[in-house]
């Protein structure tokens, strides 16, 4: 007789678990998914900002390299003249 009493209890328990899962767990999982989507968007935006910043820095380095290679030793002489010049 005891095993027959467990069948309705298990049936009701399964039903309650399904209801609780639908009411509480499903919205919670959707909320977590939405948070992950927002975090992924923010990460992508930051990556784009870092890429743009890196590109600007690379362009500046190229300009500096061009200045150094184009002007050579004349640039060093100009720097020394500026160091020796009195400040007004």
């Amino acid at each position: 007789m005891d095993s027959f009493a467990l069948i309705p209890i298990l049936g009701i328990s399964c039903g309650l678990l399904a209801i609780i899962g639908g009411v509480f767990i499903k919205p919670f999982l959707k909320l977590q998914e939405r948070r992950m989507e927002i975090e992924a968007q923010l990460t992508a935006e930051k990556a784009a900002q870092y890429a743009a910043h890196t590109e600007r820095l690379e362009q500046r380095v190229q300009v500096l390299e061009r200045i150094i290679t184009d002007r050579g030793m004349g640039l060093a002489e100009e720097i020394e003249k500026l160091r020796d010049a009195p400040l007004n």
Side-chain angles (χ1 to χ4, degrees):
M1 285 308 257
D2 291 328
S3 63
F4 290 116
L6 289 177
I7 294 174
I9 292 173
L10 288 175
I12 292 172
S13 298
C14 289
L16 288 175
L17 285 174
I19 291 170
I20 290 172
V23 172
F24 295 109
I25 296 174
K26 189 174 181 180
F28 176 75
L29 292 177
K30 284 186 179 181
L31 176 64
Q32 293 293 4
E33 183 179 345
R34 182 67 182 136
R35 284 183 181 168
M36 289 172 47
E37 288 173 359
I38 292 171
E39 187 175 332
Q41 289 174 351
L42 292 174
T43 302
E45 289 175 9
K46 280 191 174 187
Q49 289 174 353
Y50 288 141
H53 183 68
T54 302
E55 185 176 336
R56 285 192 305 270
L57 290 175
E58 287 176 355
Q59 289 174 353
R60 292 179 73 179
V61 167
Q62 287 176 354
V63 168
L64 292 172
E65 288 174 343
R66 191 172 41 230
I67 289 171
I68 290 172
T69 56
D70 287 350
R71 298 178 88 183
M73 294 301 292
L75 180 62
E77 292 173 3
E78 288 180 30
I79 292 173
E80 288 303 319
K81 286 178 186 176
L82 290 174
R83 285 187 185 155
D84 295 337
L87 297 174
N88 294 333

